[in-house]
Amino acid sequence: MSEIKVPFVSFRPLEKEIGDELRAAFDRVLNNSWYIKGKEDEAFEKAFAGYCGRKHCVGVGSGLDALMLPLKALGIGEGDEVILPANTFIATALAVTYTGAKPVLVDADLRTYNMDPAKIEEAVTERTKAVMPVHLYGQPCDMGPITEIAKKHGLYVIEDCAQAHGAKYKGQVIGSFGDAAGFSFYPGKNLGALGDAGATVTDSDELAKKVASLANYGSDYKYHHVYQGNNSRLDEMQAAFLSVKLKGLDKVNEDRRRIAGRYLAGISNPLITLPYVPAYAEPVWHIFAVRCEKRDELEKYLEECGVGCNKHYPIPVHLQECYKDLGYGKGDFPVAEEVAKTELSLPLYYGMTDEEIEYVVEKVNGFK
Ligand SMILES: *Cc1c(COP(=O)(O)O)cnc(C)c1O
């Protein structure tokens, strides 16, 4: 096979297909001359709430705010604790610390890389207010036991859905399990804007109203401020782009499954641990995470072969410098540390060609 280059991610194939629709959406907004909180926003919120099987969707400025604002709206703050996994993107923890509450970490399951439900209960104290399952890499968490534990201890469940738009747990779409869920539309996510954006979904009228208010300077009507809110609104331009892309989300996820299926069937190198898919899960493959004891060598080798890779994430939350005050240390979350040391993410994006997929498979199998 001749040498080619396969980037870690490319937006090109999708943008080629929907470029005209995106340009039409841009023109529509420009012709309207209305840029914040308008009908594009409303239309997307309605469509995305429907997609998630929820009553409300509140568009906000980022995935971070989509997680932080519902926590704040539920009254979580100083003196409270929120349980989340040690192996997640830093935003999950930041969403908690921005409210003044304390993140309490739990370790992952080494097979699914998701929060281990068995470890949640021992982290619960009388200060615990909520648990935040993260559907990491596009794999749904084991929501059955998580919901049960939360119910037993009277905890809110806020799902971090930033990597898993459309993934299903036992046939039910994620984002529809908790009291609220936060989505990111960062460009690289399965549903990505052409800039920063996010959304909170919920069935609660009261919570939706409060999140929307907190995202808009804490006001209920113009120049009347009930809360000391933020400025975190989904603008009309991004909402219009997102409406175009939401229509194609299932197709995008289907294509991601096709690529992941080829990797799962084709990669047979004994040095590589492939992702595991539990019977309850319908993942959407935001990340195709493999593990390898010689991860850094594998990464270097693949880069030399022209295959772009990434690590998600090289430093777990408990070992991040910004969180040294939490008092955690090395060895506290062995699974998260193992994943940080051995995980490598292979290229996976909508429209990857057969040649590109086969090239990655061949190179990964050729690693010694
Ligand atoms: C991307 C991401 C976020 C944050 O989303 P932003 O839009 O970048 O603020 C939160 N949690 C997880 C797991 C993510 O991957």
Side-chain angles (χ1 to χ4, degrees), residues 61-67 87-93 95 134-137 160-164 182-187 189 195-198 286 312-313:
S62 70
L64 170 61
D65 288 348
L67 295 165
N87 61 323
T88 181
F89 180 56
I90 196 78
T92 321
V134 181
H135 308 291
L136 200 69
Y137 307 150
D160 182 339
C161 300
Q163 302 191 358
F183 286 85
S184 163
F185 306 125
Y186 178 79
K189 304 291 161 100
D196 272 316
H286 175 60
H312 295 91
Y313 296 89

Side-chain angles (χ1 to χ4, degrees), residues 50-198:
Y51 186 88
C52 298
R54 303 232 81 160
K55 199 165 159 196
H56 301 284
C57 165
V58 182
V60 296
S62 70
L64 170 61
D65 288 348
L67 295 165
M68 186 265 284
L69 294 171
L71 292 172
K72 255 178 119 171
L74 289 166
I76 292 167
E78 208 140 328
D80 297 331
E81 293 178 357
V82 176
I83 296 171
L84 58 114
N87 61 323
T88 181
F89 180 56
I90 196 78
T92 321
L94 287 173
V96 174
T97 47
Y98 275 140
T99 70
K102 182 182 162 199
V104 173
L105 305 178
V106 298
D107 212 353
D109 178 313
L110 190 55
R111 287 206 302 175
T112 64
Y113 308 132
N114 272 329
M115 182 181 237
D116 185 347
K119 290 170 187 152
I120 296 174
E121 211 148 15
E122 55 202 65
V124 175
T125 73
E126 71 260 25
R127 290 179 297 280
T128 312
K129 288 288 172 348
V131 55
M132 294 176 80
V134 181
H135 308 291
L136 200 69
Y137 307 150
Q139 307 274 354
C141 289
D142 195 357
M143 291 312 292
I146 293 174
T147 309
E148 221 165 273
I149 293 162
K151 212 179 206 172
K152 182 173 155 198
H153 295 277
L155 310 177
Y156 294 118
V157 177
I158 311 294
E159 300 174 69
D160 182 339
C161 300
Q163 302 191 358
H165 319 67
K168 286 177 180 163
Y169 173 79
K170 296 189 175 168
Q172 184 182 334
V173 72
I174 58 97
S176 64
F177 290 88
D179 297 278
F183 286 85
S184 163
F185 306 125
Y186 178 79
K189 304 291 161 100
N190 287 34
L191 176 59
L194 309 186
D196 272 316

